[in-house]
Amino acid sequence: MAALNIDELYQEAENRRLSAFEAAQQDSLSRLQGNLQGIETSYRSGVTQAQNAARISALGQEEKLAAAGLSSGGAYAAPTMGYTETSRIAADNTLRTNLNTLSAKRLQQEQNARASANTEMTQAMRDYYNGVSDIRLQLAQSKIDQYNTDREYDYTTQKTAYEQAMARWEAYGVVLPADEAILGVKAGTRTATSAYNDAKLAATTAYNNARLALERWKATL
């Protein structure tokens, strides 16, 4: 079975985060485009309604004036009396006010839609970078944990090898060639020599020092 590659696993996680961010960003842009189109359609509909209302009002006014024996010059012609011109000006002002209101409303709605989209995309970006940061912290912690495990394993392995070499030295009475490098004592050295006692003392001291160093190192993590 192939060993797991931690870096590749976390890179895949980062790639998924990036894909999710890009999808969220595209969704926000699509939603913004749809909102802007809806706002424009609503604005144009409002303009048409205001213009139609103004025309209907003008025609209604024309009928009223005609019934009173007056003339405004037709709905689209120049008025022939001061009273009717005043009415035309008032109608024009009303239409202009309505159109300005619709335009201001459209502008505000567009600004709100863009602000909402920007907020969504900013949040998506924040989530992406926070997610990537978490992934990288997890990767760093995984590597630290693996390093600790490897160091503990190496220490245990070396300690076991030394203890086994010492046991063979004591059992056979001499240092075996295979144990020379492990013990740091020349092969053939007998247990009766001072080197054996020195080696036992060194082994105990090395064990205690290594254990203390390992504990101190762990405490700094």
Side-chain angles (χ1 to χ4, degrees), residues 1 29 48 59 92 96 115 184 186 206:
M1 180 182 294
L29 291 174
T48 299
L59 292 174
D92 289 344
R96 187 176 298 107
K186 186 176 179 180

Side-chain angles (χ1 to χ4, degrees), residues 148 151-157 159-160 163 203-219:
N148 290 342
R151 182 164 179 169
E152 183 76 32
Y153 175 79
D154 291 342
Y155 167 78
T156 302
T157 301
K159 174 177 175 291
T160 300
E163 290 175 344
T204 302
T205 302
Y207 170 76
N208 292 335
N209 290 341
R211 172 58 64 182
L212 180 60
L214 184 62
E215 294 301 327
R216 286 177 177 173
W217 180 79
K218 285 182 178 181

Side-chain angles (χ1 to χ4, degrees), residues 43 46-47 49-51 53-54 88-106:
Y43 168 73
V47 169
Q49 290 177 6
Q51 290 173 337
R88 176 70 64 84
I89 292 174
D92 289 344
N93 288 339
T94 298
L95 175 59
R96 187 176 298 107
T97 298
N98 290 338
L99 294 179
N100 288 340
T101 299
L102 288 170
S103 181
K105 180 180 179 181
R106 176 182 64 171

Side-chain angles (χ1 to χ4, degrees), residues 124-144:
M125 182 176 294
R126 185 179 296 113
D127 291 343
Y128 166 68
Y129 283 115
N130 287 342
V132 169
S133 177
D134 289 342
I135 289 172
R136 292 177 180 174
L137 286 174
Q138 292 172 14
L139 174 59
Q141 187 60 53
S142 295
K143 289 187 174 182
I144 290 174

Side-chain angles (χ1 to χ4, degrees), residues 50-86:
Q51 290 173 337
N52 289 340
R55 183 181 179 186
I56 292 173
S57 176
L59 292 174
Q61 183 67 21
E62 176 71 16
E63 292 176 356
K64 291 179 181 179
L65 291 174
L70 303 174
S71 174
S72 63
Y76 303 103
T80 58
M81 300 184 63
Y83 172 76
T84 57
E85 182 172 357
T86 299

Side-chain angles (χ1 to χ4, degrees), residues 163-181:
E163 290 175 344
Q164 291 174 346
M166 285 294 295
R168 286 191 293 271
W169 188 2
E170 186 173 355
Y172 291 106
V174 295
V175 175
L176 300 179
D179 293 333
E180 181 176 347

